């Protein structure tokens, strides 16, 4: 039992959380103590357990006798705005950004015998405020607790995040309207292209788009030609593409040239083949990497050489290193932990592109990594740097296939193979598992039982399959309902909900929700994503069914056996999320429609 802190005991006394949640949160905190910057109990409760921020930090402010301040952000006058802006200008730019990022706002000066700076903070115990005297003329300050939602509104009003590239673009908007698109021609005039890029400030648009995408939490940017002289910018947010901007009177060739010029590893003058490149940028003080994919596409103007560009945003801040934060359901988490705690065997993640397989593998790797073992990864391409692992560098001379073969000779304990692509990778993964290595990998199948059939059809014998695999997890990512604007499910959706397995009592309880109209805190009623999964743990019964298979793997029999042992199907996993008010029937229907 982890010792409960004074703050934890107060949370229990005020019934903000229950003892089970507190124990889990304290356990996470203890496990993180080895890191250089362990999180506070409040941070864990808010971010991992989704407890209301004000319920936690309002009580923390009360415990440590911080004064609280209620401010109506809609009634802030110009004098107060000017006063706060003047205070912020007295701090170095980098430090003021750090304060605002941590939701700390130097708000006003209380004049008296010794002038005191009033500092609003959503977490009054944040130690960053202690740096204020070192970075400013204000030697005396008072930290005052303010609700997070109020602080966010104040920061947006007084010191909104700027995107200097888009500001410059807006100033030059009249110039853009004067640009004539590149005329249709088989060979693009590179000089005319450069002239258009310079006049229309397309570089600013492109760089501004990168910054906005990071701030909006997008996973990808799509740059797509639209007709002969327009370019569309889309961002994938919470799994859905949304149009961010349409750049008119601009040739798609010019926009493609900008993207290529700003990327490393691509040839601007090559327009007839696929290309992959990358970029790095500092956004709001953090290094963000971007993976660029360019492919040639056709258009109604056959002589034009259009290209589609997709940019994957790789933000290390989004990496989940704590297995508990994956949010797996109880049985799945228990089976997953058992599987990765073994010294050998394969842990296989399946699902379509964008279903969170890599995120789950990353959390699992961080769970098992320690200085006493050799962890090797073979990925193409490598996206995130994994501390404590040796990540093989794939290139023209050292191909994925060569790297896979080399792993066996490099004395590994734990191996991650980015994807089982063919019989070669499957054979090596099986060999690693059967020679005492813990092996992680992914496969593209719709559900867990079909992954067994896929490996069997690749040529892996049933007895090898049965005893090499520890667990197969098939997962999807679904959008989470915004807790601020969700609403009880409407009666016209009752029929669909009943067909999926909900009861009349559950529907009439008012605890089954659907998306609202949307608010300032969400995207059309949704905010963030959560997984649903089926975790097929290989018990002796499952192994026997596989070994006894004839010419075909009996997927139905495997599923029945697994479900009798507690495995949730993807649909049941989704319904559990619905019953807990986390998502909607529409999301579950969409995510599991192929099952």
């Amino acid at each position: 039992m982890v010792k409960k802190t004074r703050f934890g005991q107060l949370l229990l006394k005020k019934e903000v959380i229950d003892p089970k949640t507190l124990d889990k949160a304290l356990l996470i905190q203890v496990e993180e103590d080895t890191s250089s910057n362990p999180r506070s109990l409040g941070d864990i409760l808010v971010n991992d357990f989704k407890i209301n921020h004000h319920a936690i930090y309002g009580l923390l402010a009360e415990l440590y006798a911080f004064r609280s301040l209620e401010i109506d952000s809609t009634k802030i006058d110009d004098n107060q705005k000017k006063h706060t802006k003047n205070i912020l200008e007295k701090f170095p730019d980098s430090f003021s950004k750090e304060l605002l990022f941590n939701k700390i706002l130097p708000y006003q000066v209380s004049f008296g015998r010794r002038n005191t700076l009033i500092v609003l903070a959503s977490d009054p115990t944040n130690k960053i405020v202690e740096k204020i005297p070192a970075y400013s003329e204000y030697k005396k300050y008072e930290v005052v607790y303010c609700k997070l939602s109020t602080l966010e509104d104040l920061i947006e009003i007084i010191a909104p995040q700027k995107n200097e590239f888009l500001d410059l673009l807006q100033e030059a908007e009249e110039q853009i309207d004067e640009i004539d698109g590149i005329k249709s021609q088989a060979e693009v005039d590179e000089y005319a292209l450069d002239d258009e890029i310079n006049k229309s400030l397309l570089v600013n648009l492109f760089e501004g788009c990168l910054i906005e995408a990071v701030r909006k939490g997008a996973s990808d940017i799509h740059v797509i030609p639209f007709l002969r002289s327009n370019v569309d910018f889309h961002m994938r947010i919470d799994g859905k593409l949304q149009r961010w901007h349409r750049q008119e009177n601009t040739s798609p060739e010019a926009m493609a040239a900008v993207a290529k010029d700003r990327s490393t590893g691509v040839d601007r003058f090559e327009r007839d083949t696929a290309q992959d490149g990358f970029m790095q940028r500092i956004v709001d003080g953090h290094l963000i990497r971007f993976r660029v994919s360019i492919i040639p596409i056709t258009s109604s103007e056959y002589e034009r050489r259009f290209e589609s560009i997709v940019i994957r945003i790789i933000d290390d801040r989004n990496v989940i290193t704590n297995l508990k934060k994956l949010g797996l359901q109880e049985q799945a988490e228990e089976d997953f932990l058992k599987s990765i705690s073994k010294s050998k065997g394969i842990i296989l993640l399946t699902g379509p592109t964008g279903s969170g397989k890599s995120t789950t593998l990353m959390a699992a790797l961080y769970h098992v990594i320690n200085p006493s073992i050799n962890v090797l990864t073979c990925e193409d391409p490598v996206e995130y740097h994994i501390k404590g692992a040796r990540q093989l560098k794939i290139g023209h001379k050292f191909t994925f296939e060569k790297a896979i073969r080399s792993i066996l000779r490099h004395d590994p304990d734990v191996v991650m193979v980015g994807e089982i692509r063919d019989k070669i990778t499957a054979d090596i993964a099986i060999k690693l598992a059967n020679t005492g290595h813990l092996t992680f990998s992914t496969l593209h199948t719709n559900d867990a039982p079909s992954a067994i059939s896929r490996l069997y059809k690749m040529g892996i014998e049933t007895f090898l399959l049965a005893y090499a695999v520890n667990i197969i997890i098939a997962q999807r990512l679904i959008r989470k309902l915004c807790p601020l604007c969700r609403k009880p499910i409407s009666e016209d959706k009752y029929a669909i909900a009943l067909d999926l397995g909900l009861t009349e009592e559950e529907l009439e309880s008012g605890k089954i929700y659907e998306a609202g109209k949307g608010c300032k805190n969400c995207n059309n009623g949704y905010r963030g994503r959560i997984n649903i999964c089926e975790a097929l743990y290989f018990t002796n019964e499952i192994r026997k069914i596989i070994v006894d298979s004839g010419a075909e793997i009996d997927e139905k029999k495997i599923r029945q056996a697994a479900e009798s042992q507690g495995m949730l199907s993807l649909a049941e996993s989704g319904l559990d999320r619905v019953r807990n008010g986390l998502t909607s029937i529409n999301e579950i229907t969409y995510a599991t429609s192929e099952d």
Side-chain angles (χ1 to χ4, degrees):
M1 176 68 69
V2 181
K3 184 180 177 182
K4 292 178 175 60
T5 61
R6 184 181 166 199
F7 180 45
Q9 290 170 343
L10 183 61
L11 289 168
L12 291 178
K13 184 180 177 182
K14 297 286 186 177
E15 298 183 345
V16 175
I17 56 174
D18 57 45
K20 188 177 180 181
T21 300
L22 178 59
D23 287 341
K24 286 182 178 179
L26 289 171
L27 190 60
I28 290 172
Q29 190 178 36
V30 168
E31 289 174 351
E32 291 185 353
D33 273 347
T34 54
S35 67
S36 59
N37 189 24
R39 294 182 297 158
S40 67
L41 177 61
D43 187 22
I44 292 168
L45 288 169
V46 170
N47 291 304
D48 294 17
F49 295 90
K50 309 305 177 189
I51 309 297
N52 179 271
H53 189 282
H54 177 58
I56 297 293
Y57 285 98
L59 200 59
L60 186 67
E62 182 184 320
L63 175 65
Y64 290 106
F66 286 99
R67 185 162 63 95
S68 294
L69 196 60
E70 290 280 349
I71 300 173
D72 187 345
S73 59
T74 62
K75 294 181 180 178
I76 297 297
D77 59 29
D78 291 338
N79 288 334
Q80 180 62 63
K81 289 180 194 175
K82 186 177 179 181
H83 179 61
T84 305
K85 284 180 180 179
N86 286 339
I87 293 171
L88 282 169
E89 286 172 0
K90 294 180 180 179
F91 290 93
D93 187 53
S94 59
F95 184 62
S96 65
K97 283 182 178 178
E98 186 180 3
L99 288 173
L100 296 176
F101 179 78
N102 283 279
K103 301 299 181 283
I104 297 168
L105 180 64
Y107 185 61
Q108 64 186 24
V109 176
S110 175
F111 295 102
R113 192 160 58 91
R114 287 186 65 189
N115 296 343
T116 302
L117 176 66
I118 305 300
V119 181
L120 304 182
S122 60
D123 173 8
T125 63
N126 194 317
K127 293 189 179 298
I128 292 173
V129 295
E130 296 174 4
K131 299 178 184 178
I132 285 176
Y135 284 96
S136 71
E137 64 188 51
Y138 303 105
K139 304 308 174 188
K140 186 178 179 183
Y141 63 89
E142 178 191 3
V143 181
V144 176
Y145 171 70
C146 184
K147 286 182 182 178
L148 176 63
S149 56
T150 302
L151 253 177
E152 288 176 335
D153 288 343
L154 289 172
I155 291 171
E156 186 61 32
I157 292 167
I158 297 168
Q161 289 181 309
K162 289 187 176 182
N163 190 328
E164 60 271 22
F165 295 106
L166 295 185
D167 290 344
L168 287 169
L169 190 67
Q170 192 170 6
E171 291 171 13
E173 201 168 26
E174 65 279 358
Q175 295 180 36
I176 295 173
D177 292 337
E178 297 171 2
I179 300 297
D180 294 323
I182 298 292
K183 294 179 172 61
S184 297
Q185 52 190 20
E187 293 300 323
V188 177
D189 185 335
E190 301 295 345
Y191 292 107
L193 214 57
D194 281 330
D195 188 48
E196 179 176 4
I197 291 168
N198 294 331
K199 283 183 181 177
S200 58
L201 294 180
L202 291 183
V203 170
N204 289 331
L205 173 62
F206 182 76
E207 293 292 338
C209 179
L210 297 180
I211 292 171
E212 286 298 294
V214 172
R215 288 177 177 170
K216 289 176 179 291
S219 61
D220 301 88
I221 301 166
H222 290 238
V223 184
I224 313 163
F226 180 75
L227 303 178
R228 66 185 303 274
S229 58
N230 301 295
V231 182
D232 280 348
F233 289 77
H234 290 75
M235 294 180 185
R236 189 177 292 281
I237 300 173
D238 292 339
K240 300 290 183 182
L241 280 176
Q242 303 172 14
R243 196 177 82 184
W244 172 70
H245 177 71
R246 172 168 290 166
Q247 184 65 19
E248 298 179 340
N249 302 315
T250 299
S251 70
E253 292 94 336
M255 197 69 248
V258 170
K260 290 175 179 179
D261 285 344
R262 309 294 291 174
S263 306
T264 301
V266 298
D267 181 356
R268 168 177 169 173
F269 305 106
E270 177 57 71
R271 297 185 176 89
D272 297 317
T273 189
Q275 297 191 75
D276 293 310
F278 68 93
M279 299 178 286
Q280 289 188 161
R281 298 289 186 274
I282 300 293
V283 179
D284 298 331
H286 294 275
L287 178 66
I288 309 294
R289 287 171 290 132
F290 302 87
R291 196 179 75 217
V292 183
S293 172
I294 304 170
I295 56 173
I297 59 174
T298 61
S299 75
S300 56
E301 300 174 69
Y302 68 90
E303 70 277 16
R304 299 289 288 274
R305 302 169 76 181
F306 287 168
E307 292 169 290
S308 170
I309 300 167
V310 174
I311 302 168
R312 168 62 55 90
I313 299 165
I314 302 170
D315 187 344
D316 288 318
R317 291 173 296 177
N318 297 329
V319 173
I320 295 176
T321 59
N322 188 315
L323 203 61
K324 299 286 184 184
K325 291 184 71 175
L326 287 175
L328 295 173
Q329 283 140 317
E330 190 173 349
Q331 182 69 47
E333 185 179 281
E334 183 183 322
D335 289 340
F336 193 43
L337 280 168
K338 276 193 294 184
S339 299
I340 67 176
S341 298
K342 296 180 179 181
S343 61
K344 63 179 181 178
I346 297 175
I347 286 81
L348 197 59
L349 274 291
T350 79
T353 301
S355 60
K357 299 188 296 295
S358 297
T359 300
T360 303
L361 281 183
M362 200 75 64
L365 274 177
Y366 272 106
H367 186 83
V368 302
I369 285 174
N370 69 70
S372 69
I373 60 174
N374 176 19
V375 180
L376 298 178
T377 77
C378 183
E379 311 153 80
D380 185 19
V382 172
E383 290 192 347
Y384 295 100
H385 175 65
I386 304 170
K387 294 176 183 176
R390 303 176 209 178
Q391 295 171 272
L392 278 62
K393 189 174 182 180
I394 308 300
H396 295 298
K397 292 182 179 179
F398 193 50
T399 64
F400 186 80
E401 287 70 24
K402 285 183 180 179
I404 285 289
R405 295 179 190 277
S406 300
I407 279 175
L408 290 163
R409 301 190 296 273
H410 211 71
D411 186 31
D413 295 293
V414 176
V415 175
M416 184 178 85
V417 178
E419 181 186 348
I420 293 180
R421 303 178 176 185
D422 48 32
K423 191 174 188 302
I424 294 172
T425 28
D427 278 337
I428 291 175
I430 293 290
K431 187 173 182 180
L432 282 163
N434 284 327
T435 52
H437 303 88
L438 191 62
T439 308
F440 297 85
S441 193
T442 66
L443 193 66
H444 288 284
T445 62
N446 287 332
D447 58 22
S450 64
I452 302 170
S453 296
R454 176 69 60 84
L455 290 170
Y456 178 63
K457 288 171 183 175
M458 282 182 181
I460 307 301
E461 295 292 339
T462 52
F463 71 91
L464 288 174
L465 263 176
Y467 292 98
V469 179
N470 292 350
I471 195 171
I472 301 174
I473 292 186
Q475 69 177 53
R476 304 284 188 279
L477 288 178
I478 53 171
R479 292 183 295 169
K480 292 172 64 179
L481 288 169
C482 172
L484 299 178
C485 67
R486 68 184 181 182
K487 60 182 182 180
I489 189 171
S490 55
E491 289 189 13
D492 62 330
K493 293 190 175 70
Y494 276 20
I496 298 171
L498 290 168
D499 285 343
L500 285 174
L502 294 173
T503 65
E504 285 274 5
E505 291 76 15
E506 287 173 328
L507 294 174
E508 291 172 357
S509 69
K511 296 180 180 178
I512 306 297
Y513 298 96
E514 63 181 355
K517 292 182 179 179
C519 63
K520 66 177 182 178
N521 295 297
C522 68
N523 294 299
N524 301 316
Y526 293 93
R527 183 180 181 182
R529 290 191 289 175
I530 194 169
N531 72 61
I532 58 173
C533 75
E534 55 183 31
L536 175 54
Y537 183 71
F538 275 45
T539 60
N540 289 333
E541 184 182 353
I542 299 294
R543 297 185 198 280
K544 188 174 187 307
I545 294 171
I546 296 170
V547 171
D548 292 344
S549 297
E552 289 287 330
I553 299 291
D554 191 338
E555 295 178 22
K556 186 176 180 181
K557 192 173 181 180
I558 291 172
R559 176 174 291 283
Q560 288 172 344
E563 289 180 355
S564 71
Q565 295 166 8
M567 182 188 86
L568 294 178
S569 67
L570 282 168
E572 282 295 332
S573 175
L575 284 177
D576 181 65
R577 301 298 194 191
V578 170
R579 290 186 179 103
N580 284 293
L582 295 172
T583 192
S584 66
I585 288 292
N586 286 353
E587 279 295 292
I588 300 306
T589 304
Y590 177 77
T592 62
S593 58
E594 75 274 12
D595 300 318

